[in-house]
Amino acid sequence: MNDCFPQVLMIMVISLTAHLIFALAEFALLHFLDIKGSEIFSEIPSETTLILITSIIRMFAEFLVLSPIMVGTAWWLLHCVRGENSNVGFILICFSNMKIYFRSVVMRLLIGTIKIVVAIPLILCGYIEYALITAFAYESYRGGTYIALIVCCTLILICIALMYIWIVADFSLVNFIFTMNPDDKIINIIKKSVTAMKYQKARLIKLVCSFLGWIFTVPFVFPLFFAVPYASLSYATLVDEIIEKEIRKNTDDMFNKKTIARK
């Protein structure tokens, strides 16, 4: 931790800065359209539509830039915990090759889509609970019925949320496996992650849950510069152990192929 702390801190700052730049760009675009909209458009869209369109544009651009950085960060963390090259510049390694860049974006898009599809029951249950709470506020004379329904819906929501976390944990190794062999088929990378996590999800979830107490440091920005690097390196260390135990022993040839690090 002491040897890598400055680099992890710098990576954290780079990621936060990237998010901030896109957020400020969205705000600036909204402000510009608010001032010059009547001159640019013959029909000015509603404020809600304008905000929605601008947010979509910002999220799309942010995704195209940050997805490869997330993969590059996984590459850096994996090699860092192994005591190998710790040059922070390697978090941008996916941008050095258009093929790898494109594949990293497609992989992140596919994983994101899967997570959204899996989250549909959770979203629906959350919407139903919101509707029940809203109805309860307007029909208080039937409070007993609504309270019972809200409690039941909350319990179901918690169960679905736990199931969602358990399923999503299957994809925890995807970024790391991709960096070891970026030429492998994306579907194979996902399958390897799912297979490797079959008996390791409890360990990973337990580690993540051990960091939940640090959420209380969010209002205080300074402690985050210690908590996030420590959590990132701890997570990468466990991932490396899982890869060694569940993947490398069965696919040693993967580490002999042309990887991102050797391009």
Side-chain angles (χ1 to χ4, degrees):
M1 176 68 180
N2 292 332
D3 296 334
C4 300
F5 178 77
Q7 292 91 333
V8 183
L9 185 60
M10 188 175 296
I11 290 174
M12 175 185 171
V13 171
I14 291 173
S15 298
L16 290 175
T17 302
H19 283 289
L20 182 61
I21 289 173
F22 281 105
L24 291 175
E26 179 182 4
F27 175 79
L29 180 59
L30 282 172
H31 183 66
F32 173 78
L33 293 176
D34 183 50
I35 297 175
K36 300 293 185 178
S38 58
E39 301 176 10
I40 298 175
F41 304 106
S42 57
E43 296 181 3
I44 302 176
S46 66
E47 183 178 352
T48 302
T49 304
L50 190 62
I51 293 175
L52 179 61
I53 293 174
T54 305
S55 296
I56 291 174
I57 294 174
R58 189 264 303 171
M59 287 188 291
F60 179 72
E62 190 173 357
F63 177 80
L64 292 178
V65 173
L66 293 184
S67 290
I69 291 179
M70 289 177 63
V71 175
T73 299
W75 183 93
W76 185 90
L77 287 171
L78 189 62
H79 286 266
C80 179
V81 298
R82 291 176 178 175
E84 300 172 2
N85 198 316
S86 59
N87 187 335
V88 175
F90 280 111
I91 69 171
L92 304 176
I93 200 165
C94 289
F95 293 98
S96 64
N97 185 301
M98 285 304 299
K99 179 182 177 182
I100 294 176
Y101 168 79
F102 178 75
R103 286 175 58 80
S104 67
V105 170
V106 171
M107 182 187 70
R108 293 301 309 168
L109 179 61
L110 180 58
I111 294 298
T113 302
I114 293 174
K115 289 181 179 179
I116 291 174
V117 172
V118 175
I120 289 177
L122 184 64
I123 295 171
L124 290 176
C125 189
Y127 176 78
I128 291 172
E129 180 160 11
Y130 170 77
L132 288 172
I133 294 173
T134 303
F136 171 69
Y138 286 98
E139 301 181 28
S140 57
Y141 62 92
R142 300 175 60 184
T145 302
Y146 279 112
I147 290 175
L149 290 173
I150 290 171
V151 170
C152 291
C153 191
T154 300
L155 293 175
I156 295 173
L157 183 64
I158 293 173
C159 291
I160 295 177
L162 293 175
M163 290 177 61
Y164 175 77
I165 293 172
W166 190 258
I167 294 173
V168 168
D170 283 332
F171 311 113
S172 301
L173 305 183
V174 169
N175 286 352
F176 297 90
I177 297 174
F178 176 86
T179 64
M180 295 191 301
N181 185 14
D183 293 322
D184 196 6
K185 293 181 180 179
I186 293 176
I187 190 64
N188 289 341
I189 293 174
I190 295 175
K191 287 180 179 179
K192 288 174 183 176
S193 178
V194 173
T195 302
M197 291 301 298
K198 186 175 181 181
Y199 301 108
Q200 301 293 336
K201 284 189 281 190
R203 291 182 65 195
L204 193 66
I205 293 174
K206 182 179 179 180
L207 175 67
V208 174
C209 288
S210 68
F211 300 138
L212 292 181
W214 294 358
I215 292 177
F216 297 105
T217 66
V218 171
F220 310 100
V221 177
F222 186 71
L224 286 178
F225 289 95
F226 294 94
V228 173
Y230 180 79
S232 299
L233 288 173
S234 298
Y235 184 88
T237 300
L238 179 56
V239 166
D240 185 40
E241 292 178 6
I242 294 174
I243 289 175
E244 289 287 331
K245 182 177 181 180
E246 303 293 341
I247 297 180
R248 187 167 185 174
K249 66 180 182 181
N250 297 321
T251 55
D252 286 331
D253 61 313
M254 175 187 297
F255 288 76
N256 296 322
K257 292 181 179 179
K258 195 175 185 181
T259 64
I260 287 178
R262 296 169 184 166
K263 286 186 179 291

